[in-house]
Amino acid sequence: MQPTVTPEAIDEIREEALGKLDSLEDLDEVESWRVAYLGRKGRLSSILRDIGGLPQEERRAVGAVGNRSRSLLEERLSQRLEAIKSAGLAGLADTDRIDVTLPGRPIAVGRLHPTTQIVREICSAFMAMGFQVVEGPEVEWDRYNFELLNIPRDHPARDMWNSLWIDHRNERGEHNMLLRTHTSPMQARVMEKMRPPVRVIVPGKCYRYEATDATHEWHFYQVEGLAVDDGITFADLKGTLYEFARRVFGSDRRVRFRCDYFPFVEPGVDMSIDCFSCQGGGCRICRDTGWIEIMGAGMVHPKVLEGVGYDPRVYTGFAFGLGPERIAMLKYGIDDIRLFYSNDLRFLRQF
Ligand code: FA5
């Protein structure tokens, strides 16, 4: 059969297609239009396929009309697509538009709380000397908080720790559970589980029922230390704590030990460093003494060793307990311990 493809037939299809194009309103309609005219089975494509069947002398002229028509439709198609897309954007409300060139909103980056920072710094100083970090419960039995630390029920030293008792009683009706008043109960807990050599450091929260002021909180951190082995002497205690002070406060610090009393050590001491503000000359920070007390310490009392099944004739050891907030106060010149717990960003952002 003679193909029906003529320049007029091509013109007719092209004009029909162009006539519809301007009324297309969305991308779906444009796609249907493309399929209908330019798709593989579309009207223009189909008729152009027939050109191959024309006599040689007609093929070239009709082919030229066909190619021009296809190019024109393709060009108009992309113009229409652009027009529809930009009209769509123009129709969007300002709030729906995204300006991808705007700089991003800064994301607030958190930081470690100053207490966490100083606790980590203290722990690293001791870890470098071979101590291992362990943690313990904040709700503690009377037995660990007091009894195994050589502080029996009727011992006057119990008055030193104003306890927050939990409503829990033993068979005699006595309170026997409390929020730990210091980290020292971990001494007995660690020794019950480990055999010497013991070298641990215990950071953690403590609670005392006392009025707050610039240097006292009712909840605060302590870092406990314990080293037990055969042959440990007071010289080991002094050397270790001196090295600690050097690492945290700098190599120029001098250290002073004075007698102090804690029922679970014998002898007991408190340790001070010379005031870094006045270099020992006397100022407001050291209350004109030239020294700043930083911790309690001593040789572990034989009764404490016996209580956990260690033979005090074989083993000796030293223990210490310090308050990291007070250390941070000294180190950074903070004048009120309550700032650590007041969640004031103006304070926290300084660290
Ligand atoms: C004790 O609690 C002993 N357990 C320390 C110890 C351990 C001695 C091992 C010997 C051997 P003290 O009550 O002094 O000791 O507290 C130790 C440190 O905790 C103080 O130097 C202080 O830095 C900190 N501290 C005590 N009470 C408060 C408080 N209310 N607020 C903030 N820090 C406190």
Side-chain angles (χ1 to χ4, degrees):
M1 201 178 87
Q2 185 72 13
T4 53
V5 52
T6 58
E8 295 73 34
I10 295 173
D11 288 347
E12 191 182 320
I13 294 172
R14 187 190 66 231
E15 290 310 308
E16 177 190 311
L18 288 175
K20 288 186 179 168
L21 194 56
D22 284 343
S23 60
L24 304 180
E25 282 181 347
D26 60 34
L27 298 180
D28 287 343
E29 285 181 13
V30 173
E31 177 59 10
S32 308
W33 180 93
R34 189 194 65 77
V35 171
Y37 293 100
L38 296 171
R40 207 163 47 83
K41 294 184 182 160
R43 293 193 51 205
L44 187 66
S45 311
S46 305
I47 198 169
L48 295 188
R49 257 196 302 278
D50 292 344
I51 293 176
L54 288 176
Q56 182 78 36
E57 59 281 10
E58 285 175 36
R59 217 183 288 163
R60 177 185 278 259
V62 180
V65 175
N67 285 338
R68 271 202 306 278
S69 299
R70 171 179 276 282
S71 303
L72 183 68
L73 290 193
E74 283 172 350
E75 189 188 320
R76 292 288 174 81
L77 167 67
S78 61
Q79 286 169 356
R80 186 69 199 141
L81 272 177
E82 282 308 309
I84 289 176
K85 279 183 192 162
S86 46
L89 278 181
L92 284 179
D94 275 354
T95 49
D96 295 334
R97 289 213 218 167
I98 298 170
D99 181 351
V100 292
T101 64
L102 277 179
R105 283 199 197 111
I107 296 171
V109 179
R111 65 192 79 202
L112 294 176
H113 192 280
T115 307
T116 309
Q117 291 186 33
I118 194 80
V119 166
R120 289 191 181 182
E121 192 182 331
I122 292 166
C123 289
S124 322
F126 284 108
M127 279 155 73
M129 291 187 265
F131 284 77
Q132 172 189 352
V133 176
V134 292
E135 288 180 311
E138 290 175 23
V139 179
E140 191 52 281
W141 296 108
D142 175 282
R143 176 179 157 75
Y144 288 103
N145 200 82
F146 294 125
E147 267 165 50
L148 286 171
L149 291 171
N150 195 28
I151 316 171
R153 232 160 235 289
D154 52 358
H155 196 296
R158 284 210 180 196
D159 293 345
M160 286 162 62
W161 288 277
N162 307 320
S163 310
L164 287 154
W165 293 94
I166 305 286
D167 194 8
H168 187 282
R169 290 166 195 268
N170 62 16
E171 58 289 347
R172 290 188 300 280
E174 299 155 332
H175 279 113
N176 64 350
M177 196 190 264
L178 72 164
L179 296 180
R180 67 178 174 191
T181 54
H182 50 173
T183 43
S184 298
M186 280 302 286
Q187 291 186 24
R189 282 186 178 272
V190 165
M191 286 192 280
E192 275 181 348
K193 289 223 174 72
M194 289 170 80
R195 304 307 305 167
V198 171
R199 254 182 294 176
V200 292
I201 195 95
V202 188
K205 203 85 185 282
C206 306
Y207 304 82
R208 292 186 193 177
Y209 183 64
E210 56 185 32
T212 60
D213 61 26
T215 51
H216 292 83
E217 260 291 359
W218 67 271
H219 57 136
F220 53 94
Y221 274 81
Q222 279 193 348
V223 177
E224 188 83 7
L226 175 71
V228 182
D229 204 352
D230 55 348
I232 288 196
T233 69
F234 198 83
D236 296 306
L237 177 155
K238 286 180 79 174
T240 306
L241 297 185
Y242 178 74
E243 177 59 14
F244 158 74
R246 206 185 60 78
R247 282 175 189 256
V248 173
F249 292 103
S251 52
D252 301 335
R253 294 280 64 84
R254 287 186 298 139
V255 166
R256 180 185 75 177
F257 292 96
R258 281 193 315 188
C259 287
D260 200 350
Y261 171 69
F262 300 95
F264 37 92
V265 286
E266 181 58 39
V269 292
D270 67 51
M271 178 181 142
S272 305
I273 53 170
D274 64 329
C275 179
F276 45 80
S277 177
C278 61
Q279 307 303 327
C283 69
R284 195 180 62 88
I285 292 182
C286 60
R287 296 198 183 106
D288 285 327
T289 63
W291 295 96
I292 297 171
E293 190 183 314
I294 59 169
M295 70 173 97
M299 298 303 288
V300 181
H301 198 288
K303 282 204 172 153
V304 175
L305 296 172
E306 271 168 12
V308 294
Y310 284 14
D311 184 346
R313 286 164 307 178
V314 178
Y315 296 113
T316 50
F318 64 83
F320 55 88
L322 55 90
E325 288 104 345
R326 295 237 185 115
I327 300 246
M329 288 170 78
L330 295 173
K331 200 170 165 174
Y332 302 116
I334 300 163
D335 58 8
D336 196 323
I337 196 170
R338 290 165 292 195
L339 286 166
F340 287 94
Y341 296 96
S342 59
N343 283 336
D344 186 336
L345 286 177
R346 289 169 305 179
F347 170 71
L348 296 174
R349 284 202 179 111
Q350 295 176 51
F351 298 92

